[in-house]
Amino acid sequence: MGESSSDSVSVDVETIYLGGKEHIVRTGCGSVSVIVYGDQDKPALVTYPDLALNHMSCFQGLFFCPEAASLLLHNFCIYHINPPGHELGAAAICQDNPVPSVDDLADQILDVLNYFRLGAVMCMGVTAGAYILSLFAIKNRERVLGLILVSPLCKAPSWTEWLCNKVMSNLLYFYGMCGLVKECLLYRYFSKEVRGCAEVPESDIVQACRRLLDERHSINVLRFLQAIDRRPDITEGLKTLKCRTLIFVGENSPYHSEALHMTAKLDRRYSALVEVQACGSMVTEEQPHAMLIPVEYFLIGYGLYRPSQFIGSPRSPLSPSCIAPELLSPESMGLKLKPIKTRLSTKR
């Protein structure tokens, strides 16, 4: 692989998944941290997190789920791309550096793929990360095998989102990662069921996320927020995509209608929507088990399967009683996944 290239620096990081390795890849728009986990001879799965998150805070719920980890790591080498300045231990980015555009961030993905000498890849992104990966797919259709998008964005910000982003931008600039910014972000990520209230305490995943947000440098979050806030509508570009696309959205996500809009614009022959009940935007953390069966059937369309030792596992949640019967029908495999609603336990 391209590890010996003078254009990049590799650093071992033992705390990020056993066997994971961090690569700092220099791109045409600054350096980006990529965590590589698995056998690099396998097909590549590229992930991109939402605003103010990194691969640990956005995807650990999914990848720490044994059944999901076995399915994904059995079939893929994982390349976790972190937004600039969002990786663990990142330094504050100099304020004099120009703020990247969403096109710059999408182009960074191409630089990462070229560095690792990857061809066509599978992509998984959450909200802002889903937008960046969708934009990358539109610009580089031959480099994307498929898209797994969680509560994705595709339109320019609504007035409501624009106002919320403006408030967060001002708070980040003047007060840093203060309590109100964290509340806005937690509202963005999670449903009220896990955020808690006066009578009900926050769930463990929300408390963990709150602690991880404390580690983010406000200037780095502000730069990503400004890029996403200036994003253009990519609806027309979506119509040109021919790769298979699986969309998850939490029923209580602030971006629920956006996901429905995106699904309506994609070619129905190649796309499917899964709405997860009693869940916010970050399905990967709040209800990762709800993703297992749909992802498994989605990957079957590529000839990819779970390792046999997990089939029928007594501790596996993958049983017909957990999922709507439409998804288990033969015609639901591969391209023909149906728009359904699922309701699974929030316990992990």
Side-chain angles (χ1 to χ4, degrees):
M1 308 306 285
E3 292 176 26
S4 60
S5 168
S6 60
D7 293 335
S8 166
V9 179
S10 298
V11 182
D12 284 319
V13 178
E14 297 177 354
T15 58
I16 306 172
Y17 305 145
L18 293 176
K21 189 172 185 178
E22 181 180 31
H23 300 255
I24 306 301
V25 180
R26 295 195 180 102
T27 73
C29 186
S31 297
V32 63
S33 167
V34 184
I35 308 299
V36 180
Y37 183 69
D39 181 354
Q40 290 182 263
D41 290 330
K42 292 183 178 181
L45 170 64
V46 171
T47 74
Y48 208 104
D50 192 19
L51 174 69
L53 302 176
N54 55 35
H55 69 287
M56 286 294 286
S57 49
C58 194
F59 295 104
Q60 70 173 349
L62 178 65
F63 281 90
F64 284 5
C65 171
E67 292 80 13
S70 80
L71 172 65
L72 297 174
L73 294 172
H74 175 70
N75 289 295
F76 296 103
C77 179
I78 314 299
Y79 296 80
H80 293 293
I81 301 178
N82 292 304
H86 283 54
E87 66 272 17
L88 293 172
I93 299 174
C94 177
Q95 293 186 359
D96 294 334
N97 290 357
V99 175
S101 67
V102 288
D103 282 290
D104 292 331
L105 297 176
D107 291 344
Q108 282 187 330
I109 297 172
L110 181 60
D111 289 337
V112 168
L113 266 56
N114 290 339
Y115 166 68
F116 288 106
R117 300 179 185 173
L118 301 175
V121 301
M122 187 72 68
C123 296
M124 178 187 293
V126 177
T127 312
Y131 177 94
I132 300 298
L133 290 173
S134 299
L135 178 59
F136 170 75
I138 291 168
K139 299 176 70 172
N140 304 275
R141 292 195 295 274
E142 74 285 354
R143 303 298 290 271
V144 177
L145 289 172
L147 292 167
I148 301 172
L149 306 176
V150 181
S151 304
L153 307 174
C154 67
K155 296 189 290 186
S158 65
W159 283 107
T160 303
E161 185 190 347
W162 176 86
L163 180 60
C164 181
N165 290 348
K166 187 61 65 177
V167 170
M168 281 202 295
S169 294
N170 288 331
L171 289 171
L172 284 166
Y173 184 81
F174 290 107
Y175 301 103
M177 185 61 73
C178 61
L180 186 53
V181 170
K182 284 187 277 190
E183 292 305 320
C184 290
L185 290 170
L186 293 173
Y187 172 81
R188 175 189 180 99
Y189 305 147
F190 298 111
S191 69
K192 60 183 179 181
E193 283 83 359
V194 295
R195 292 199 316 273
C197 58
E199 295 79 21
V200 181
E202 287 182 342
S203 70
D204 291 343
I205 58 171
V206 175
Q207 292 178 21
C209 186
R210 187 185 292 277
R211 289 192 296 270
L212 289 166
L213 290 175
D214 285 330
E215 300 173 5
R216 298 282 81 76
H217 287 286
S218 57
I219 183 62
N220 300 356
V221 176
L222 176 60
R223 289 165 59 86
F224 191 18
L225 176 59
Q226 289 172 333
I228 290 298
D229 192 46
R230 298 167 186 169
R231 69 182 186 270
D233 190 318
I234 57 172
T235 298
E236 289 303 311
L238 295 173
K239 299 175 182 178
T240 69
L241 292 180
K242 296 301 180 185
C243 65
R244 302 177 184 184
T245 304
L246 177 60
I247 296 177
F248 293 91
V249 64
E251 184 181 54
N252 299 326
S253 167
Y255 308 106
H256 181 265
S257 62
E258 187 111 354
L260 299 184
H261 170 81
M262 184 173 189
T263 304
K265 299 303 179 182
L266 290 167
D267 191 323
R268 292 181 181 271
R269 295 173 297 170
Y270 303 110
S271 61
L273 172 69
V274 179
E275 297 177 79
V276 183
Q277 295 182 354
C279 188
S281 298
M282 199 160 36
V283 184
T284 51
E285 289 294 307
E286 191 169 343
Q287 292 202 41
H289 285 92
M291 299 179 65
L292 296 180
I293 286 283
V295 169
E296 183 171 6
Y297 277 100
F298 181 72
L299 295 181
I300 285 174
Y302 296 88
L304 302 174
Y305 300 87
R306 271 190 299 162
S308 58
Q309 66 266 29
F310 273 86
I311 296 176
S313 168
R315 64 186 302 278
S316 172
L318 306 185
S319 63
S321 62
C322 293
I323 200 82
E326 295 94 326
L327 192 60
L328 301 176
S329 61
E331 63 268 27
S332 72
M333 292 187 178
L335 299 181
K336 298 182 179 179
L337 282 163
K338 295 182 177 180
I340 63 166
K341 290 191 175 184
T342 68
R343 187 180 185 92
L344 298 179
S345 170
T346 57
K347 295 181 180 179
R348 296 235 297 265

